[in-house]
Amino acid sequence: MTELFRDKNFIHKLLRLALPIALQNLMLASVAAADALMLGALDQNAMSAVSLASQIQFIQNMVLSGIVAAVAILGAQYWGKGDKETLDDIFCLALRLAGVVSLIFCLACFMFSKELMRIFTNEEALIEIGVGYLRIAAFSYLLTGISQCYLAMMKVSEHASSTAVISVGTVLLNIAVNAILIFGLFGAPAMGARGAAAATLFSRIVELVWVLVLSFHPSYLRPKLAGLFAKNALLEKDFFKCALPIFGASMLWGVGFTSYSAFMGHLGTDATAANSIAAVVRDLVCCLCNGLASGAGIIVGNELGAGNLERGKLYGDRMVVIAFLTGFVSTALMLLFTPVIMLFVQLSEGARAYLLGMMLIMAFYMIGRAVNTIIINGIFSAGGDTMFDMYSLVVTMWCLAVPLAALGTFVFHWPVLLVYACTCLDEVGKIPWVMLHYRKHKWVRDLTR
């Protein structure tokens, strides 16, 4: 512990990477928080419907995360090696894949919005609002994948601070336009949930233009147009070897989390509203561990790619200590935020009671979430050890948490908070397994050629 904090170079590099990425995640989560607060002030059903409709983008982000994570894993190692030519090939491959994924989600949300909403709820009032939201937001989903690839390359090429600046700028713009279009300020039409979707689309356009312009700066990476249509069979093999397990894990995790929202959606509007607020708070608190996980992946990956395996292993050991400290800090933050949230939210009495219980349950869940995120998504991924995440999710989420929550919702009709507690079982129960796998050191590998 003492040695960890004495290594100023390690701490400085970690903070230089993790804090901007954490800030970027915080800004993205703030959009959901702003949507929830503004729409909640307007109408509880509008807030609930948008929360459910946003699960579609959540699934898209899970798909894209496989692509972006592979960029981060291979990009960090090749940047540590100093091979910029291969970095360009990685960039072009990621853009091709992300473009196809984004187009599919855009078309699905625009053409089949009602069918998608029926997956999450049987409440007609929520379905109608959600359809209006999705048919506008669909076009923002078209742009998301491209922007994410550019931002990922900025992070691995020592421009993490730029990603934070872009996120802060676009999020503040999103929130401002949100207020104008939701409430009809300054003579604009009051669009409610559709206004939130329009604000998201506008901010995504600004974000994409911003990263494209910035990429032309000499110190930034930008893809060569010819590379967008070229194939590198060996690199594609390495890329998919990293990406496919992460994609599988992301889909297992994303669909699992989406099913949790669907369970709440079938337990009534009060449960849906409470879960919407709890999810926003969870995402805000998770920003710290997400930033540290990304920072850990880059730091450890740089050392492994440069051939410094022992130093990479040492940095992994230090990140494990930081992971547990982050878990306890996250629990404390959740308990600290609970009375503040309860003071300001405008919900029915039933929804308020559910929310209080969910916040207390989530406080303990945060220990497992922080530890597992930093170790699995940071340390393991840095060395290409991406299979563990997938099969651990199969066991803890899909063989335990999801079946219990589904049975509680549709068969045994358990109380809402008991069903919610079932959805939190997977992270806490995974910790011993994660630590056992960590000590095997399968992640200590140089992936470069």
Side-chain angles (χ1 to χ4, degrees):
M1 178 78 75
T2 305
E3 182 184 353
L4 189 163
F5 292 105
R6 283 179 180 171
D7 189 341
K8 303 298 183 184
N9 183 54
F10 170 78
I11 295 297
H12 175 72
K13 189 173 182 180
L14 177 63
L15 293 178
R16 185 160 49 87
L17 287 166
L19 291 181
I21 296 172
L23 179 60
Q24 182 190 13
N25 287 325
L26 179 63
M27 289 295 101
L28 294 174
S30 296
V31 174
D35 282 350
L37 289 173
M38 292 180 191
L39 292 171
L42 189 69
D43 176 45
Q44 180 173 305
N45 281 349
M47 179 191 70
S48 300
V50 169
S51 176
L52 293 175
S54 298
Q55 297 304 307
I56 308 297
Q57 188 180 25
F58 179 74
I59 295 176
Q60 181 196 20
N61 288 337
M62 292 301 99
V63 179
L64 291 174
S65 68
I67 299 170
V68 172
V71 170
I73 293 168
L74 292 176
Q77 292 219 2
Y78 277 103
W79 181 262
K81 189 178 183 179
D83 187 348
K84 292 187 178 180
E85 184 177 343
T86 304
L87 277 170
D88 184 73
D89 291 340
I90 294 169
F91 200 169
C92 292
L93 174 58
L95 284 172
R96 289 200 301 271
L97 295 172
V100 172
V101 169
S102 298
L103 179 61
I104 291 171
F105 274 84
C106 171
L107 294 176
C109 289
F110 185 78
M111 298 172 67
F112 305 106
S113 50
K114 182 170 289 188
E115 290 78 4
L116 290 172
M117 282 301 299
R118 289 195 185 281
I119 296 173
F120 301 106
T121 183
N122 51 8
E123 300 281 347
E124 288 298 327
L126 300 185
I127 291 171
E128 183 180 351
I129 297 170
V131 166
Y133 176 89
L134 282 176
R135 284 182 176 163
I136 297 174
F139 295 101
S140 71
Y141 302 162
L142 184 61
L143 310 177
T144 300
I146 309 302
S147 298
Q148 289 302 308
C149 291
Y150 274 86
L151 293 169
M153 292 305 294
M154 288 181 189
K155 291 172 187 175
V156 300
S157 59
E158 300 183 5
H159 291 295
S161 58
S162 295
T163 67
V165 172
I166 293 168
S167 293
V168 170
T170 53
V171 165
L172 292 178
L173 178 66
N174 192 337
I175 293 172
V177 178
N178 248 356
I180 293 171
L181 296 181
I182 288 174
F183 300 113
L185 304 178
F186 307 113
M191 299 172 63
R194 292 182 299 112
T200 298
L201 174 59
F202 181 68
S203 65
R204 285 287 175 267
I205 293 171
V206 171
E207 180 183 64
L208 181 58
V209 171
W210 196 339
V211 296
L212 288 173
V213 170
L214 197 58
S215 70
F216 282 91
H217 191 280
S219 65
Y220 286 76
L221 297 173
R222 65 181 180 276
K224 297 174 183 176
L225 291 178
L228 291 172
F229 307 99
K231 289 181 69 67
N232 183 330
L234 196 59
L235 180 64
E236 287 184 14
K237 179 181 177 182
D238 289 344
F239 190 92
F240 285 111
K241 189 176 180 179
C242 291
L244 289 178
I246 296 173
F247 169 75
S250 295
M251 287 305 298
L252 288 169
W253 190 78
V255 174
F257 254 82
T258 303
S259 70
Y260 296 159
S261 295
F263 298 153
M264 293 296 118
H266 285 84
L267 290 173
T269 56
D270 281 349
T272 304
N275 183 61
S276 301
I277 298 293
V280 169
V281 179
R282 179 197 66 220
D283 291 344
L284 288 171
V285 175
C286 283
C287 291
L288 178 60
C289 65
N290 291 340
L292 287 168
S294 297
I298 294 171
I299 288 177
V300 176
N302 285 166
E303 297 300 332
L304 297 178
N308 303 322
L309 301 187
E310 284 302 315
R311 187 181 295 171
K313 183 178 174 182
L314 172 64
Y315 284 1
D317 291 341
R318 291 176 178 177
M319 288 308 307
V320 169
V321 175
I322 292 173
F324 277 94
L325 291 175
T326 305
F328 294 124
V329 169
S330 299
T331 294
L333 287 173
M334 192 63 68
L335 294 173
L336 185 65
F337 287 158
T338 297
V340 179
I341 297 298
M342 296 305 299
L343 184 64
F344 286 101
V345 293
Q346 298 181 23
L347 299 173
S348 66
E349 285 304 312
R352 288 179 65 84
Y354 290 150
L355 178 59
L356 177 60
M358 290 176 180
M359 294 289 288
L360 296 176
I361 292 168
M362 201 163 29
F364 295 97
Y365 158 89
M366 288 306 302
I367 298 174
R369 177 67 179 270
V371 171
N372 295 331
T373 297
I374 294 172
I375 295 178
I376 296 175
N377 298 343
I379 301 170
F380 292 172
S381 292
D385 184 8
T386 55
M387 282 297 295
F388 175 82
D389 193 17
M390 187 166 68
Y391 61 71
S392 67
L393 283 167
V394 169
V395 174
T396 59
M397 175 177 275
W398 285 95
C399 292
L400 180 65
V402 170
L404 280 175
L407 288 171
T409 301
F410 301 111
V411 179
F412 301 120
H413 306 291
W414 288 341
V416 168
L417 292 180
L418 182 55
V419 173
Y420 185 82
C422 291
T423 67
C424 297
L425 288 174
D426 55 323
E427 294 289 359
V428 177
K430 198 190 298 184
I431 293 177
W433 194 6
V434 169
M435 293 310 302
L436 181 64
H437 187 77
Y438 174 83
R439 292 192 178 97
K440 295 178 181 178
H441 295 122
K442 292 182 178 180
W443 53 272
V444 185
R445 292 186 296 167
D446 180 355
L447 303 174
T448 63
R449 296 180 182 273

